[in-house]
Amino acid sequence: MRMDIVTIFPDMFKSPFAESIVKRALEKGLVELNIVDLRRYTHDKHRQVDDAPYGGGPGMVMKPEPFFEAVEDLKNPSLKTVVVLLSPAGEVFNQRMARSFLAYEQIIILCGRYEGVDERVHQHLADKIVSIGDYVLTGGELPAMVLTDALIRLIPGVITADSTAEESFAEGLLEYPHYTRPASYRGMDVPAVLLSGDHKRIAAWRKEQALKRTLKYRPDLLEDNGSGVLD
Ligand code: SAM
């Protein structure tokens, strides 16, 4: 899979992808990550990407032309591509959406800044508008990292299939609780069933715990199967 992230702050992406699982996926060539400076697609001497809003009001708005030119340049016509614009106005990102992006061979992610991006980019360039939650960040770079991280770990071969099949949201529930050594710490004991070696009982206990945790922390997941959590 090829991912292109279009931003005015390409340096922000240096460290998050230079460690651990994402780093290994890049090294193995399971994903090709292309961080693109939006200013490459400006033509004036100040490399301007923003301008004052029509109609007045605070702040600056990101101009449409650099985004359109960037997408035209980056889109590989032989790949199945989706153009994602990050915006608080978008559909809220979740695990189902992350999985749905696996159907594409190229994802172009557009990061906004300032007051946001010219509406024509929303209406005529983006295939999908995505928010990472109901709050406002200063830019689309952190959301782009969230999307990229969530997606890369789902790419076959990046981590073991068992890990992504059993984790939270994979089956509409939160994952069961985990414990490791020591078996007893400051009077807090690991549930005896996990020490029993009885795999059937352990599996049944984990199923029950997943349900209990979901009821306790995220009852909405059980109420609304259309929430985008179930696969
Ligand atoms: N004026 C906009 C509004 O009220 O909706 C907020 C613009 S925000 C300060 C600047 C940029 O950050 C947005 O264009 C978007 O790319 C990004 N951004 C901020 N919050 C986001 C969120 N929750 N999800 C995705 N992108 C977000």
Side-chain angles (χ1 to χ4, degrees), residues 85-89 110-117 130-140 143:
L85 172 66
L86 295 163
S87 164
L110 308 177
C111 304
R113 278 269 154 183
Y114 314 122
E115 277 304 314
V117 178
V130 177
S131 162
I132 62 158
D134 291 345
Y135 41 82
V136 179
L137 298 162
T138 53

Side-chain angles (χ1 to χ4, degrees), residues 4-228:
D4 298 272
I5 302 178
V6 182
T7 168
I8 58 168
F9 294 120
D11 287 351
M12 281 182 73
F13 292 86
K14 278 185 183 153
S15 106
F17 299 134
E19 308 283 346
S20 180
I21 291 170
V22 174
K23 180 186 176 200
R24 283 201 300 278
L26 290 166
E27 283 170 354
K28 282 197 214 162
L30 295 168
V31 63
E32 180 193 339
L33 193 58
N34 192 15
I35 310 296
V36 182
D37 188 345
L38 180 71
R39 293 190 200 276
R40 233 167 76 182
Y41 301 96
T42 55
H43 305 289
D44 62 305
K45 86 168 185 233
H46 300 294
R47 307 178 83 200
Q48 194 181 342
V49 291
D50 60 328
D51 210 332
Y54 277 121
M60 299 292 267
V61 175
M62 295 192 85
K63 292 161 69 59
E65 311 95 302
F67 283 111
F68 276 85
E69 286 186 34
V71 169
E72 279 154 18
D73 183 41
L74 297 169
K75 213 174 202 173
N76 181 335
S78 58
L79 299 179
K80 190 177 174 202
T81 301
V82 63
V83 178
V84 173
L85 172 66
L86 295 163
S87 164
E91 185 182 337
V92 178
F93 187 60
N94 60 23
Q95 192 72 358
R96 172 187 276 184
M97 199 193 291
R99 282 192 188 280
S100 74
F101 285 136
L102 291 178
Y104 297 94
E105 296 161 310
Q106 182 184 21
I107 302 184
I108 302 177
I109 301 176
L110 308 177
C111 304
R113 278 269 154 183
Y114 314 122
E115 277 304 314
V117 178
D118 187 286
E119 182 62 16
R120 287 164 288 191
V121 175
H122 297 68
Q123 298 288 335
H124 303 291
L125 186 63
D127 299 312
K128 201 159 179 71
I129 303 171
V130 177
S131 162
I132 62 158
D134 291 345
Y135 41 82
V136 179
L137 298 162
T138 53
E141 287 73 18
L142 291 172
M145 291 172 204
V146 169
L147 246 74
T148 307
D149 189 286
L151 192 49
I152 288 179
R153 64 190 295 287
L154 292 176
I155 293 173
V158 172
I159 53 178
T160 59
D162 282 359
S163 297
T164 53
E166 280 205 359
E167 66 192 358
S168 293
F169 311 115
E171 289 180 4
L173 298 176
L174 299 179
E175 197 183 34
Y176 51 78
H178 297 285
Y179 294 89
T180 186
R181 274 179 272 271
S184 185
Y185 177 65
R186 296 188 179 184
M188 297 175 282
D189 294 338
V190 172
V193 62
L194 296 178
L195 310 176
S196 70
D198 182 339
H199 295 295
K200 245 182 153 169
R201 271 184 62 218
I202 292 172
W205 179 87
R206 285 180 166 165
K207 222 172 176 174
E208 185 192 323
Q209 291 297 315
L211 198 61
K212 280 187 175 162
R213 284 185 115 204
T214 310
L215 258 173
K216 183 173 177 187
Y217 297 117
R218 292 291 306 275
D220 56 301
L221 297 182
L222 298 168
E223 283 156 17
D224 181 11
N225 284 352
S227 67

